Amino acid sequence: MSSPRGNGMQPEDGGDEPPRQYGGPAEEDPLSEGGEDNEEDEGEGEDLFGANMAEDYQEDPALDQYDPEMLDDSTHAALTIEQRRAAEQEMEARDQGGRWRPDPSSPGLLRLTSDSEIGSPHPGAPRAKRLRTGLEQESEHMDFPDDLNDEDVPPSAYDLNNEKLGDDMRLEKRLEQKIKKCFQQFLYKFVPEGQNYPKYPEELRKMAEDHNMHLDVHFSHLQQWSAQLSLWISEHPLRMLPILNETLMTEAARKFETYRHPVLPKDENELRVAVHSFPIVEPIRELCTKHLNKLVMVHGVVTKRSGVFNEVKRLYLRCAKCGFPSGPFDVAQEKDLKPGSCVECQSKGPWRVDRQETLYRNHQKITLQESPSSVEPGKMPRSKQVILTGDQVDKVRPGDELQLTGIYRCLYDAATNARTCFPVYRTEIESVHAKRKGDVKSAEITDDQHQQILELAKCPNIRERFIASIAPSIYGMWHVKTAIALSILGGERKIAAGKHRIRGDINTLIVGDPGLAKSQFLKYIEQTAPRAVYTTGKGASAVGLTAAVTRDEHGQWCLEGGAMVLADDGICLIDEFDKMNDQDRTSLHEAMEQQTISISKAGIVASLQARCAVVAVANPTEGRYDPQRTFAQNVNLSDPILSRFDMLCVLRDESDAVQDERLADHVVCSHIRSHPEATGEARNIRPKLEQKASHVQPIDQDLLRSYIVYARQKVHPKIQDIDKEKLANFYKDIRAEAFSSGGAPMTARHIESIIRLAEAHAKIELRQHVTSRDLDNAIGVMLESFIQSQKHQVSEELRKKFRRYIAQATPLADQFALLLEKLFKDRTERIRLSRAVYDGDLSQVAVKMSDVVQQIEQNDIDLDEAHSFMRTARFSNNYRVEGENIYRIV
């Protein structure tokens, strides 16, 4: 085959000089005499793109002749995988056994020579060495035909135990390919403990379904798979994580069309491996030089958040003189950007940025401060700046508690150096993975927990079990536990016509005598609810609850959210609600109903979201609740603020010998179980009442938290077929009673409250629709809330008047149990008043069967159902029948 024509492709001597590269100057021997002059001549080069460029491609029949013997036009059968692998192994062995150099017998071809030949002192040796170096540099940027696509690889191919990582930032090609192979096999083959199938293929599929740009990888999983790889990741994350990201992108693009380059936008062409759960947690104040450029894990609270900026990730330039493009250049803080000279006009500059081709990524700064609980007394909390990039931006808010895994880095700070006249570097944490505490949307429920939750929802008495599991260490107070359970789950947020938003959160006010565990209820909610913020009325002002306008470190005005803003999508707990000033309580009006906080100060006009439920606790004005006075007389709260609470709970400290004895037994057993040095026998001790076969079995607290998260995430009940006439009649009747008898005000807001309560009851049973039973339960809760806010005489009359609603909402067994409790309480009080000396033996207090039947008929309870209840274990464990009398078992 004849050689190509043209000045740019003809060899000058025809010897063992290699062909000149098209578009570049001829190479000269740097070791020969006059090498420097030759280098200068090389800089000029030969213009291959001049006016005569087209003459090189003119047709010339005399020269356009090819030797048929050197052309292979025959067809070949397709290679099998074994043949191709054998050929690749043979070529790899040939490449490792010798070196390439030009073949002098055939101009333009390369032949394999030994190292001794390359070292021979002939005129072409230096030139061959330079050419070989150029080929090696070019091969580093080529995609070698490796076996990354092959998932069935023997362990020896990716074993890193005998490998060593050099000190140079740039890894050798062989080790880099082995690390990629190791991580690729980890994604396909790693099986965690307790599972029978690989974990991460399913995680990859979920990542593609949700179109996420990161994959969460547990650090302990990497340790179990390859201890050497996990060590390198912890010690050299800046070198290892880009390799893992590239491997993840390759595998995701190979399996899912979503991550192919033509499909992805330009600013989303990279996936990220988010390593989390690093085993060593470092306090922020203890980060020092030994942690620089290493993987660290810190806990803290976000105090500030900047805006989202665009950071240059890959730069494309154009020559300002000729407009020829140049690039791409990967921009990194640890290396300088040197564009060099223009390929077209050989100019050294100036350059202008090609803004359409240049790739950017999101960049945000937050300030992470030590948690107040972790700071030693007398010390100020330390803070550290954290950099969020990519899809991590705007995922955290001020007030969030974070578990952050990142890279501790140092950066040159000119301002600090100028101020201190000393070379000081500032430090920051580059985030790799950030997990918010109490985030319902990001909380993950395992398959085993999901199965347990669905099985639990099938229980016929799941409502009673769920309510009984709220604050199990607190005895009794069923109505308060019901209100708290419904507030934690909440209803459904709606947007009416005209963009009017109707809140779905349920607000609750608890008022009662001292010593009835009101504050303990709030502390329980803080620990159990996915997201809760606790504050006190005496220690919080209006701006502390809503929002404040302050100056930042640059002197600019900025907004800082209060407790209700920080509790967005959660619960705001306010203790000592009655101790707040009236002006501070007035600021809550908008936040509790419209769930927004409007700010118009210092030139800032904004509206902040406060989509949270409010659970407030207050004490009566006189110290103890007086049942002979109305609710408004007992609590110094205005009607506008009371109407914004969906439920009111009144706790009264009343004397009951049986209940007091059970309460004392419950408290003593709780103290014995909770002792830090309690033995196994002591931890299993139970009160006398629980030792009997109870009709309600509480749910385990860990399972209860998962149940709440699942219900808030997945269950969204719809109101379709409910009895609208029953709701309308109930509202008409109770509103008439509210105006005639006083008590808590009843407004149109309480119609929405009943609907929210019905939706929350449906969430308890994980149903996607509201039934008539949910409506009856919601009406019963609202009615009990209204009756408790009345005077004692009025409340008894209301119970008789609204008996049909109570009967529909309360199971017959509970109605009969309450009826017996009331009869025994009245009988005990009569005996105590009639006798001068009362021995207090409650087991001898009897109630006649005729009185029981009379009360059953007055309360319209089915007599057959009452007989059925008397045959249950619940009745036999608490009462005994002797002749025509019923005695209580104490």
Side-chain angles (χ1 to χ4, degrees):
M1 180 173 62
S2 61
S3 61
R5 296 177 292 107
N7 296 332
M9 300 298 293
Q10 289 284 357
E12 295 177 4
D13 299 329
D16 55 357
E17 182 180 358
R20 184 175 303 169
Q21 298 294 322
Y22 186 79
E27 295 182 346
E28 299 294 339
D29 186 0
L31 301 179
S32 61
E33 297 180 358
E36 296 180 0
D37 297 334
N38 292 339
E39 291 282 23
E40 295 177 1
D41 295 339
E42 269 190 1
E44 296 295 332
E46 181 179 355
D47 188 7
L48 302 179
F49 296 92
N52 301 327
M53 180 183 67
E55 297 179 359
D56 296 340
Y57 300 94
Q58 293 179 356
E59 294 185 5
D60 191 347
L63 294 178
D64 294 340
Q65 301 292 331
Y66 299 93
D67 188 357
E69 296 181 357
M70 299 184 67
L71 297 178
D72 187 6
D73 294 333
S74 60
T75 59
H76 297 275
L79 291 177
T80 63
I81 296 178
E82 291 78 8
Q83 293 173 340
R84 179 177 178 179
R85 186 169 298 172
E88 290 175 351
Q89 292 176 355
E90 183 179 352
M91 289 188 292
E92 184 178 359
R94 182 193 65 186
D95 295 342
Q96 293 177 354
R99 302 292 180 90
W100 292 99
R101 56 157 293 179
D103 189 352
S105 60
S106 301
L109 298 178
L110 299 174
R111 72 179 182 87
L112 195 65
T113 60
S114 63
D115 291 341
S116 59
E117 285 186 88
I118 294 178
S120 60
H122 63 81
R127 188 181 300 271
K129 183 176 181 180
R130 291 187 61 187
L131 180 62
R132 182 176 68 252
T133 306
L135 289 173
E136 289 175 355
Q137 292 176 354
E138 183 182 358
S139 66
E140 291 178 2
H141 302 283
M142 293 174 59
D143 293 332
F144 287 96
D146 52 9
D147 291 334
L148 271 180
N149 295 341
D150 191 3
E151 299 177 11
D152 188 13
V153 178
S156 59
Y158 53 85
D159 185 14
L160 300 175
N161 292 329
N162 298 326
E163 300 290 343
K164 291 185 179 180
L165 201 64
D167 296 333
D168 189 13
M169 280 296 295
R170 188 175 181 85
L171 292 174
E172 56 178 302
K173 188 69 175 179
R174 179 194 61 80
L175 182 56
E176 182 179 343
Q177 291 292 331
K178 202 166 186 178
I179 293 172
K180 289 182 179 180
K181 179 69 68 177
C182 182
F183 185 66
Q184 181 218 35
Q185 296 302 305
F186 165 79
L187 294 178
Y188 288 132
K189 296 182 179 179
F190 178 74
V191 180
E193 296 180 2
Q195 290 188 11
N196 300 323
Y197 53 88
K199 172 183 176 64
Y200 289 99
E202 180 67 17
E203 296 295 325
L204 281 170
R205 185 185 63 80
K206 291 180 181 179
M207 180 186 71
E209 287 179 353
D210 300 337
H211 194 67
N212 291 331
M213 301 306 294
H214 71 277
L215 177 69
D216 294 335
V217 176
H218 203 290
F219 187 83
S220 64
H221 294 169
L222 289 169
Q223 279 184 313
Q224 298 171 27
W225 176 258
S226 175
Q228 189 74 5
L229 179 62
S230 63
L231 178 63
W232 288 348
I233 291 174
S234 63
E235 295 292 327
H236 308 281
L238 292 173
R239 300 165 65 182
M240 301 302 298
L241 290 180
I243 299 176
L244 304 188
N245 296 343
E246 184 180 349
T247 306
L248 177 63
M249 188 70 207
T250 302
E251 296 306 310
R254 185 166 66 90
K255 286 186 171 293
F256 306 106
E257 187 72 25
T258 311
Y259 298 106
R260 304 278 168 83
H261 284 290
V263 179
L264 283 176
K266 287 186 176 181
D267 58 343
E268 297 182 1
N269 63 345
E270 186 182 50
L271 290 178
R272 185 172 54 83
V273 177
V275 180
H276 63 92
S277 301
F278 191 63
I280 303 175
V281 180
E282 299 286 349
I284 292 178
R285 65 174 58 243
E286 295 183 8
L287 292 176
C288 56
T289 55
K290 68 178 182 180
H291 301 106
L292 286 176
N293 298 323
K294 295 182 181 179
L295 203 66
V296 296
M297 184 174 182
V298 293
H299 290 178
V301 178
V302 180
T303 57
K304 295 180 182 179
R305 183 180 71 173
S306 71
V308 179
F309 302 100
N310 291 329
E311 183 185 38
V312 176
K313 177 182 175 184
R314 188 166 297 156
L315 184 65
Y316 287 82
L317 301 175
R318 284 186 178 271
C319 179
K321 295 181 179 180
C322 64
F324 195 80
S326 179
F329 303 99
D330 288 332
V331 179
Q333 294 176 344
E334 62 271 5
K335 62 182 181 181
D336 297 332
L337 181 63
K338 296 181 179 179
S341 58
C342 177
V343 179
E344 176 71 16
C345 65
Q346 306 300 321
S347 173
K348 299 290 185 180
W351 304 90
R352 57 184 177 86
V353 179
D354 189 347
R355 304 187 187 279
Q356 292 185 350
E357 294 295 331
T358 299
L359 299 183
Y360 302 90
R361 67 174 177 179
N362 295 327
H363 178 90
Q364 189 178 42
K365 294 181 180 180
I366 63 173
T367 302
L368 192 68
Q369 190 180 77
E370 287 180 303
S371 301
S373 58
S374 64
V375 180
E376 297 180 7
K379 294 185 178 181
M380 292 293 293
R382 301 279 182 87
S383 59
K384 190 66 66 176
Q385 194 175 69
V386 179
I387 304 299
L388 304 178
T389 57
D391 59 346
Q392 298 182 94
V393 300
D394 278 347
K395 293 297 177 64
V396 297
R397 297 170 295 183
D400 288 341
E401 188 171 347
L402 290 188
Q403 297 176 359
L404 184 83
T405 304
I407 306 172
Y408 190 56
R409 306 183 62 180
C410 64
L411 299 174
Y412 177 76
D413 189 4
T416 305
N417 291 346
R419 185 171 62 252
T420 60
C421 299
F422 192 79
V424 178
Y425 284 80
R426 64 181 176 92
T427 55
E428 65 183 18
I429 302 175
E430 183 178 336
S431 174
V432 175
H433 181 275
K435 179 183 179 183
R436 286 196 303 171
K437 180 183 177 182
D439 188 7
V440 177
K441 296 179 181 178
S442 64
E444 296 182 358
I445 297 176
T446 62
D447 294 339
D448 295 338
Q449 291 176 337
H450 185 265
Q451 190 67 26
Q452 290 178 349
I453 289 170
L454 295 182
E455 290 294 330
L456 185 61
K458 295 178 182 178
C459 295
N461 62 338
I462 180 60
R463 177 178 178 270
E464 288 75 15
R465 291 188 62 185
F466 188 89
I467 297 173
S469 305
I470 300 295
S473 61
I474 300 176
Y475 179 77
M477 303 186 189
W478 186 263
H479 180 60
V480 180
K481 293 184 178 182
T482 303
I484 290 174
L486 298 178
S487 292
I488 291 177
L489 293 179
E492 283 300 306
R493 218 174 273 127
K494 307 175 187 68
I495 297 179
K499 300 297 181 181
H500 169 62
R501 188 171 66 185
I502 302 174
R503 65 179 170 95
D505 299 293
I506 298 173
N507 301 327
T508 303
L509 176 64
I510 303 174
V511 179
D513 297 336
L516 293 182
K518 300 186 297 297
S519 298
Q520 292 297 326
F521 274 119
L522 296 187
K523 287 298 183 181
Y524 174 81
I525 300 173
E526 185 183 15
Q527 298 296 326
T528 305
R531 184 182 180 92
V533 176
Y534 179 87
T535 184
T536 58
K538 193 64 177 176
S541 60
V543 294
L545 287 172
T546 55
V549 178
T550 60
R551 290 186 183 271
D552 60 9
E553 62 272 15
H554 303 294
Q556 301 294 326
W557 291 105
C558 65
L559 283 176
E560 289 189 2
M564 299 194 70
V565 176
L566 299 181
D568 191 28
D569 284 333
I571 302 177
C572 182
L573 310 172
I574 306 176
D575 202 354
E576 306 292 344
F577 191 65
D578 57 303
K579 305 298 190 298
M580 293 179 62
N581 297 327
D582 292 337
Q583 293 84 357
D584 296 340
R585 274 199 296 263
T586 304
S587 64
L588 298 179
H589 287 186
E590 179 192 4
M592 290 182 64
E593 189 61 37
Q594 282 74 35
Q595 295 195 319
T596 57
I597 294 174
S598 300
I599 297 294
S600 179
K601 297 178 182 178
I604 297 178
V605 180
S607 180
L608 304 178
Q609 299 286 354
R611 299 163 297 184
C612 63
V614 176
V615 178
V617 165
N619 289 318
T621 54
E622 301 297 331
R624 298 183 67 88
Y625 194 91
D626 187 359
Q628 305 303 325
R629 303 169 67 185
T630 62
F631 186 84
Q633 292 172 340
N634 276 282
V635 181
N636 187 20
L637 297 175
S638 60
D639 285 353
I641 198 75
L642 287 178
S643 66
R644 284 167 166 79
F645 285 102
D646 300 293
M647 289 181 289
L648 304 176
C649 300
V650 178
L651 302 179
R652 298 174 185 171
D653 189 8
E654 298 176 333
S655 174
D656 186 343
V658 176
Q659 295 297 329
D660 291 345
E661 182 181 358
R662 291 176 178 176
L663 174 60
D665 187 24
H666 181 90
V667 172
V668 172
C669 293
S670 177
H671 276 260
I672 294 174
R673 288 195 309 269
S674 304
H675 195 276
E677 298 180 1
T679 61
E681 182 180 355
R683 293 186 184 277
N684 293 326
I685 192 170
R686 290 290 182 270
K688 296 178 182 178
L689 187 65
E690 291 188 15
Q691 291 176 2
K692 306 170 187 177
S694 179
H695 67 290
V696 177
Q697 185 67 28
I699 305 170
D700 181 71
Q701 291 299 303
D702 292 334
L703 181 59
L704 179 67
R705 294 187 185 95
S706 301
Y707 195 96
I708 292 171
V709 170
Y710 182 86
R712 290 175 67 98
Q713 273 185 351
K714 306 292 184 182
V715 183
H716 306 285
K718 296 181 180 179
I719 298 177
Q720 295 176 345
D721 300 329
I722 62 171
D723 194 346
K724 295 184 285 294
E725 294 183 0
K726 179 190 291 186
L727 179 57
N729 291 330
F730 171 75
Y731 176 70
K732 176 189 66 176
D733 296 339
I734 199 171
R735 185 170 168 82
E737 291 294 332
F739 276 94
S740 61
S741 61
M746 298 298 294
T747 64
R749 288 182 176 139
H750 290 84
I751 301 177
E752 299 175 353
S753 299
I754 294 174
I755 295 175
R756 283 191 287 268
L757 294 173
E759 293 170 343
H761 276 99
K763 282 187 176 182
I764 292 180
E765 300 182 8
L766 302 185
R767 277 188 280 102
Q768 298 289 353
H769 59 280
V770 177
T771 62
S772 58
R773 182 184 170 197
D774 297 327
L775 181 61
D776 293 338
N777 290 330
I779 290 176
V781 171
M782 179 63 66
L783 183 59
E784 182 66 23
S785 172
F786 178 73
I787 290 176
Q788 285 189 358
S789 67
Q790 305 295 325
K791 295 180 180 180
H792 179 69
Q793 298 86 347
V794 178
S795 63
E796 294 300 323
E797 296 177 1
L798 289 176
R799 290 187 189 278
K800 294 179 181 179
K801 185 172 183 179
F802 291 93
R803 187 187 307 144
R804 65 181 186 278
Y805 295 109
I806 298 176
Q808 291 174 350
T810 309
L812 289 174
D814 292 344
Q815 294 182 45
F816 193 65
L818 292 174
L819 185 145
L820 289 176
E821 288 290 336
K822 185 175 183 300
L823 286 174
F824 274 102
K825 183 178 179 181
D826 294 342
R827 180 62 179 166
T828 303
E829 188 68 17
R830 285 198 300 269
I831 293 175
R832 188 180 66 83
L833 295 175
S834 62
R835 296 180 183 177
V837 179
Y838 175 56
D839 55 2
D841 189 1
L842 299 174
S843 61
Q844 299 302 320
V845 177
V847 174
K848 294 182 180 180
M849 191 68 73
S850 58
D851 295 338
V852 175
V853 173
Q854 181 181 1
Q855 289 293 325
I856 289 175
E857 293 176 350
Q858 289 181 359
N859 288 275
D860 295 334
I861 299 177
D862 190 357
L863 197 58
D864 295 334
E865 293 289 342
H867 283 295
S868 301
F869 174 75
M870 295 178 66
R871 290 191 290 268
T872 61
R874 182 179 177 184
F875 178 83
S876 60
N877 288 331
N878 294 277
Y879 306 96
R880 71 179 190 275
V881 180
E882 294 181 1
E884 293 296 323
N885 294 328
I886 300 178
Y887 295 88
R888 190 158 42 180
I889 299 176
V890 180

